Amino acid sequence: MKSSPQVTVPRCELPLPTGCRWRRRCAAGVLLIAQFGWLGSISYGQPQGYPVTYTQAPPPVQPTTPSPLPAPTRLPPAGQATSPDSGPFEILPTPNATKVPQRLPGVDDFQNHRPLQAPAAPMQNPPAAPSSPLGDPIPRIPQWDLLESNPNRLDLPPAGPAMPFTPPFPSGPSVPAAPSPQQSNDPLFQPTPSHSPVQPKAPADTSHAQQPAPNPADPLELFSCPLPEWNDFSPTPLPMGSEFYDPSAQQYVYDAKYDVPTQRPLIEWGIPFYAPGMMPRGGTLFGETNLLHPAFYMYGDYRIGASTGRNAGGRIDNVAHRLNLDLDLRLTATERFHAFIGPLNQATQFSQFRLEDGSVEYDSFVNLNPVTGFFEGDIGAMLGGLDGTPSPFEMPVALGLVPLLFQNGVWMEDAVTAAAITIPAKHSVLLDWSNFDITGFAVADQLNSPAFGADNHAAQALGIAAFIDAYDGYIETGYAYLNDRDDLGRSYHNLTASYTRRYFQRINNSLRIIINTGQDLDKSQRTADGGLFLIENSLVTSSPMRIVPYLNLFYGWDRPQSVARAAVSGGILRNVGINFDPDGLNGQPTLDASANDTYGGTVGVDLLGADLDRQWILEMAYLGVHGSPTGRIAKGDQVGFATRYQFPISYRTLIRFDAMYGIRRADTDIYGTRMEWRWKF
């Protein structure tokens, strides 16, 4: 029984774009070439471009008078017998021929921008050497039939006319091909072992001697290329399945769209807020390239909640409410004035009905002073408008009572009288940074920080923050110098760095550190020194959008401080978990969030509904103490249990429930439950 012929095809050596981006297209191209070239010896005139050599025994065979080209046909189905008498292909004896240079159909024509030439007429009954047997049928590989049977895969072009066939490999027993000491210079094909004593003169090439033998059952494996090392500046890899085209999937992107009801701003003057359709042409007050589209919006939310329990200050039994109003005056696509006010609260004191000693009292707080009020725009767009040219660069800027938030509010979360400017969207080949932004800020007043007591006029700050996409992750770093305007020795340096990335496709991890140093005071009198180390982790489950387990750890020493932190924002450990997160309304109890000589962590799970329309959080927290108790807020170890559940009633309202119980060693336990209704407008 004759064994199956062995296919000996080297790995892809055709010069390709960097990173073998077109690996699959290379394979498809070689399959196409095989369909044309492996069906016989074809002459396309003078050799040009890449030569394809077939080494066979002399002497040359002279073709006879050509006959008309037969009708186009395709390869026979897998398993169908193919013989010289039956089947769609004419199988001819293997002729004795010398090396005939050929050029690749399509490759050279593409490079030289000319149409593909018609193949030469086939030879009619060429004489065969007495010892030369008939050629074997064209070998079939099952994956090729799959390529033709899959309706979503791009079809191979129709096969050409029948041509004389020379087997690309000899028949007979399967014997692994021995490496030839002389190799062809052909960049795509290497010659198979020849029976001819005449070999092409070429230097020896043993660079691929150690490559594993390709799998002949997988046509893509035959032409696989080694993957290079990727970095942030590598070409975009070819997506898997990009050789498929599914028109239904492309149309579904548009057919599946539907209107989503949303709440419109309470006041909406001028250009509507994210309205459909084309915008009208704007005015040219700020230039032809920075058109004026004036609009004014007022939006925000109203919150009312009821709570009962006990926090660090004592009993809480209240029904409190607050109103958040955002006022937005838009001028152009990049320039606007914005303000935020909370007319029903003074910092952490909210208008409320309070139950105390069996009587109900109402505390009213009216405050129309803006919490924030600033101008923001883009310097490049403004200069381009004045000059009548497109924006020459991008440089966002903000001036006024500006809310500054860095590292999710860990390093800074406050509205300060300041100026901030950003250099966005840069990259560095030298440092291997694919993208980075740099923001500089100068704070003149309204800086809230426990390092300077309750006086928000006592400090100024000058700092810089950077945001970097590099090294398979995301880096945030910053430095700020805080100046004590009262010269009480409280000036200090505040430094931070963080690194966020995903490991093993399963663990999301963030490492953060904050360092305070430089206060010219006795150690026992310092208000900002030491540091905080945070480790934040979440697990990617089989339902990554709905089930999110998390584990957050922290270690604080001495008295670490954020650059600035509004009182309503809570402590520096706010993001560690809901056991440390204030509700910003009723005074719900929390564990000590100062990180003052404490360590610990939280473990919990965040559960979202099937339609992402509701949320349930379950969490347990532990806080331990270390160091000297002098000046430390926590008197002993603390353990907390908390849960939160919220869901929307409509697209503009939601209900939220919170419950918490904290066990505090050497102190009174804390606990509380609350319910909140929120209306967005």
Side-chain angles (χ1 to χ4, degrees):
M1 178 177 179
K2 185 166 61 176
S3 61
S4 301
Q6 293 291 314
V7 181
T8 305
V9 182
R11 292 180 177 270
C12 175
E13 298 179 14
L14 182 66
L16 300 174
T18 304
C20 292
R21 294 177 57 188
W22 308 103
R23 169 180 173 179
R24 291 182 175 271
R25 296 186 182 180
C26 169
V30 176
L31 293 180
L32 176 61
I33 294 168
Q35 192 174 14
F36 281 97
W38 286 359
L39 299 182
S41 301
I42 314 171
S43 176
Y44 286 86
Q46 297 298 323
Q48 300 180 27
Y50 295 118
V52 178
T53 60
Y54 297 94
T55 304
Q56 299 173 345
V61 176
Q62 300 298 328
T64 60
T65 304
S67 61
L69 294 178
T73 183
R74 283 187 174 272
L75 291 173
Q80 176 177 325
T82 306
S83 67
D85 300 324
S86 64
F89 290 96
E90 181 182 3
I91 308 299
L92 302 176
T94 304
N96 294 328
T98 57
K99 181 177 64 174
V100 180
Q102 311 272 346
R103 66 184 184 86
L104 294 180
V107 174
D108 296 344
D109 299 297
F110 174 80
Q111 293 177 347
N112 293 281
H113 305 286
R114 59 173 176 267
L116 186 66
Q117 302 177 19
M123 294 179 293
Q124 297 294 321
N125 301 322
S131 60
S132 189
L134 289 178
D136 291 333
I138 298 175
R140 295 295 298 176
I141 296 179
Q143 282 78 353
W144 294 0
D145 298 311
L146 179 62
L147 296 181
E148 293 181 324
S149 63
N150 192 331
N152 291 330
R153 185 180 289 271
L154 295 176
D155 289 332
L156 295 175
M163 302 169 186
F165 172 70
T166 301
F169 38 78
S171 61
S174 301
V175 179
S180 174
Q182 294 179 333
Q183 304 290 336
S184 168
N185 293 328
D186 188 291
L188 184 60
F189 294 102
Q190 299 294 328
T192 58
S194 172
H195 300 289
S196 171
V198 181
Q199 298 290 340
K201 300 298 182 180
D205 182 6
T206 59
S207 60
H208 303 285
Q210 302 300 324
Q211 288 190 357
N215 179 11
D218 186 358
L220 299 183
E221 174 63 20
L222 298 177
F223 313 104
S224 61
C225 296
L227 293 178
E229 284 207 19
W230 297 98
N231 56 54
D232 291 336
F233 300 97
S234 297
T236 302
L238 187 67
M240 296 297 293
S242 60
E243 69 272 24
F244 296 89
Y245 179 77
D246 187 351
S248 298
Q250 302 296 323
Q251 184 177 353
Y252 178 78
V253 176
Y254 302 95
D255 292 344
K257 293 182 179 295
Y258 59 92
D259 289 336
V260 177
T262 57
Q263 175 61 41
R264 305 301 303 174
L266 192 63
I267 296 178
E268 190 174 17
W269 296 339
I271 299 295
F273 190 75
Y274 287 110
M278 297 183 63
M279 294 181 62
R281 178 171 176 81
T284 58
L285 178 63
F286 301 110
E288 292 286 343
T289 59
N290 193 25
L291 299 179
L292 177 66
H293 289 283
F296 176 77
Y297 311 127
M298 184 174 74
Y299 51 89
D301 61 11
Y302 173 77
R303 301 171 57 190
I304 181 170
S307 176
T308 181
R310 180 184 183 88
N311 60 20
R315 283 289 308 180
I316 51 168
D317 300 283
N318 60 49
V319 176
H321 63 151
R322 66 179 294 182
L323 179 63
N324 302 318
L325 294 177
D326 285 274
L327 311 175
D328 199 66
L329 176 61
R330 301 192 175 189
L331 303 177
T332 69
T334 56
E335 284 74 55
R336 67 168 182 163
F337 290 93
H338 188 86
F340 170 79
I341 60 175
L344 300 180
N345 67 288
Q346 292 273 4
T348 59
Q349 300 296 320
F350 298 92
S351 299
Q352 59 180 317
F353 290 94
R354 181 166 48 87
L355 178 63
E356 185 174 350
D357 297 331
S359 61
V360 177
E361 299 183 7
Y362 179 72
D363 299 327
S364 177
F365 299 95
V366 178
N367 179 22
L368 297 179
N369 294 325
V371 178
T372 68
F374 59 93
F375 166 81
E376 69 175 357
D378 188 282
I379 295 178
M382 291 186 286
L383 291 179
L386 295 176
D387 193 41
T389 60
S391 175
F393 56 86
E394 293 182 358
M395 187 174 290
V397 63
L399 303 168
L401 190 54
V402 184
L404 294 179
L405 186 145
F406 297 104
Q407 292 198 33
N408 295 335
V410 177
W411 191 50
M412 188 173 185
E413 186 176 4
D414 194 12
V416 292
T417 303
I421 190 169
T422 297
I423 302 175
K426 301 299 180 182
H427 71 275
S428 171
V429 177
L430 177 64
L431 299 176
D432 197 20
W433 293 357
S434 60
N435 181 63
F436 69 91
D437 301 341
I438 297 178
T439 297
F441 58 90
V443 181
D445 200 6
Q446 299 286 333
L447 189 149
N448 297 280
S449 172
F452 300 96
D455 186 3
N456 62 357
H457 305 290
Q460 298 170 324
L462 183 66
I464 187 172
F467 315 89
I468 307 166
D469 291 313
Y471 315 128
D472 299 320
Y474 179 65
I475 301 170
E476 292 180 85
T477 184
Y479 165 79
Y481 176 74
L482 287 93
N483 177 52
D484 184 4
R485 301 174 67 179
D486 297 332
D487 293 329
L488 299 179
R490 296 175 294 182
S491 300
Y492 75 100
H493 305 273
N494 196 315
L495 303 93
T496 185
S498 72
Y499 179 69
T500 301
R501 68 166 295 178
R502 177 175 293 180
Y503 298 93
F504 314 113
Q505 303 298 321
R506 281 291 179 266
I507 301 175
N508 301 319
N509 173 263
S510 293
L511 303 176
R512 306 182 190 275
I513 189 168
I514 295 176
I515 300 294
N516 298 167
T517 185
Q519 278 197 342
D520 189 16
L521 294 171
D522 184 80
K523 184 175 179 61
S524 60
Q525 298 178 344
R526 294 174 187 170
T527 57
D529 65 337
L532 170 65
F533 182 53
L534 280 170
I535 305 176
E536 300 168 312
N537 307 277
S538 65
L539 180 65
V540 179
T541 63
S542 58
S543 299
M545 299 294 294
R546 298 182 54 243
I547 304 176
V548 185
Y550 61 89
L551 171 67
N552 300 328
L553 306 172
F554 68 91
Y555 182 86
W557 65 96
D558 296 334
R559 304 166 188 82
Q561 306 289 351
S562 303
V563 174
R565 176 163 295 279
V568 73
S569 300
I572 195 172
L573 296 179
R574 170 184 180 178
N575 289 353
V576 172
I578 60 176
N579 277 284
F580 299 90
D581 184 22
D583 66 287
L585 182 61
N586 298 105
Q588 179 81 349
T590 67
L591 301 183
D592 176 27
S594 66
N596 177 197
D597 281 332
T598 58
Y599 65 92
T602 61
V603 58
V605 59
D606 189 352
L607 305 173
L608 299 174
D611 297 327
L612 306 181
D613 58 345
R614 57 199 64 235
Q615 180 188 43
W616 186 22
I617 302 176
L618 298 169
E619 180 185 284
M620 182 183 71
Y622 172 76
L623 181 145
V625 298
H626 66 90
S628 173
T630 304
R632 190 177 62 211
I633 297 176
K635 299 179 181 179
D637 296 351
Q638 301 178 358
V639 178
F641 303 90
T643 184
R644 174 179 298 168
Y645 182 71
Q646 57 183 345
F647 63 92
I649 302 175
S650 68
Y651 61 86
R652 67 181 74 181
T653 59
L654 63 83
I655 286 183
R656 167 177 153 181
F657 300 90
D658 294 276
M660 183 268 182
Y661 193 94
I663 303 172
R664 304 192 299 176
R665 179 175 296 179
D667 208 341
T668 307
D669 291 351
I670 54 177
Y671 54 89
T673 58
R674 63 182 297 270
M675 179 183 72
E676 176 183 332
W677 179 80
R678 180 179 299 187
W679 169 43
K680 299 186 299 179
F681 56 83

